[in-house]
Amino acid sequence: VETLKGVNAGLQTYKGIGKLALDTPAGPQKTRIAWVGAAPGKLRVEVLAQPGGQPFVSIASDGQWFYAIAHQDGRFIKKKATRSSLKRLIAIPVGPQDVFTLLTGRVPILPYATARLYAYPPADGSASTEAYTAPRLILTLTPENGRYLSQKIHLVGERVHQIEYFDRSGTFLYRTIVKDVQAVNGYLIPKQLFFSDDNQASARIEVERCWTNVAVAPAVFQLKPPETK
């Protein structure tokens, strides 16, 4: 676990542009996005209108508060940031802090009391096998109550391939799959992130261009209500 926490520790700010594809009960959607983030979990995302590329929705979190502005009608939201703040946007109960952490190639580690590492598939051959060129492992994290998992982290060699999240009752919430990685200024960071739940909702972030350790003003992660005309 400590090894995972130390991945890309020198990556403190991260700026990028790319694509967001959603598949929700409201139907499929595709759009372009631009984002900037800062450790430990601040994030600003601009959902860009097509055509034109002007901001359609702005989303930000300074770690304490979650903000959103719908520029078309001026709707403004400010509420306490949580680990599920983005559910209204992408139908997956994930928060800005976790998205930033994942974009930087790290793993959002939830509070835990017990960690166990397993080989997969089991040595007894009870699970179907897939073709991997590196050992496949599963790291499970259990909170203090010890009754249910909070996370299940799948590793291929030393690389995180998939993370599954559970609520306090052990009910599955969603999974994140790191589809591909790229080397940027000495950091291995995702090229594609895929989020999905068991209710046919999914979201895919595709990174097209990115910049590491750029200068970012703290005010970027706070939004104000738009001025009335």
Side-chain angles (χ1 to χ4, degrees):
V1 176
E2 294 305 314
T3 299
L4 291 178
K5 289 181 178 180
V7 171
N8 290 347
L11 182 49
Q12 295 298 301
T13 61
Y14 178 52
K15 183 178 180 180
I17 57 175
K19 298 176 182 177
L20 173 65
L22 304 177
D23 193 354
T24 70
Q29 302 175 50
K30 292 184 179 180
T31 187
R32 295 188 62 77
I33 56 173
W35 66 87
V36 62
K42 300 176 182 180
L43 183 68
R44 169 79 172 263
V45 179
E46 300 290 348
V47 180
L48 306 177
Q50 299 295 326
Q54 295 300 311
F56 179 70
V57 175
S58 297
I59 297 166
S61 178
D62 59 7
Q64 180 179 5
W65 295 98
F66 172 78
Y67 309 84
I69 298 175
H71 294 283
Q72 190 172 21
D73 56 15
R75 281 180 297 162
F76 175 75
I77 296 172
K78 178 183 178 181
K79 60 182 182 180
K80 285 285 188 180
T82 70
R83 298 197 92 104
S84 60
S85 292
L86 294 175
K87 183 174 182 179
R88 189 171 177 179
L89 175 68
I90 65 174
I92 303 290
V94 62
Q97 179 177 352
D98 291 347
V99 170
F100 170 75
T101 302
L102 289 161
L103 283 169
T104 58
R106 297 190 278 263
V107 177
I109 301 294
L110 301 181
Y112 72 96
T114 305
R116 291 188 173 89
L117 190 65
Y118 301 90
Y120 186 89
D124 61 8
S126 60
S128 60
T129 59
E130 298 179 45
Y132 287 97
T133 57
R136 189 175 181 185
L137 302 171
I138 294 179
L139 175 66
T140 62
L141 303 181
T142 306
E144 201 167 339
N145 62 30
R147 295 179 62 191
Y148 307 105
L149 293 178
S150 59
Q151 281 179 281
K152 186 184 290 185
I153 302 169
H154 300 245
L155 301 105
V156 178
E158 297 182 355
R159 184 169 72 84
V160 173
H161 168 67
Q162 177 175 294
I163 311 162
E164 296 173 86
Y165 297 86
F166 304 83
D167 67 13
R168 293 179 180 179
S169 66
T171 301
F172 173 76
L173 291 173
Y174 71 95
R175 68 183 59 82
T176 302
I177 298 175
V178 181
K179 289 282 191 178
D180 197 6
V181 295
Q182 58 186 332
V184 179
N185 296 330
Y187 300 108
L188 273 180
I189 54 180
K191 198 170 183 178
Q192 274 194 49
L193 287 173
F194 182 78
F195 303 82
S196 65
D197 63 12
D198 283 346
N199 298 313
Q200 299 183 330
S202 66
R204 186 180 74 251
I205 298 174
E206 181 179 340
V207 180
E208 294 181 331
R209 297 181 64 191
C210 58
W211 299 264
T212 60
N213 289 328
V214 295
V216 181
V220 167
F221 306 108
Q222 298 174 338
L223 300 178
K224 296 179 179 180
E227 296 181 2
T228 57
K229 297 181 181 179

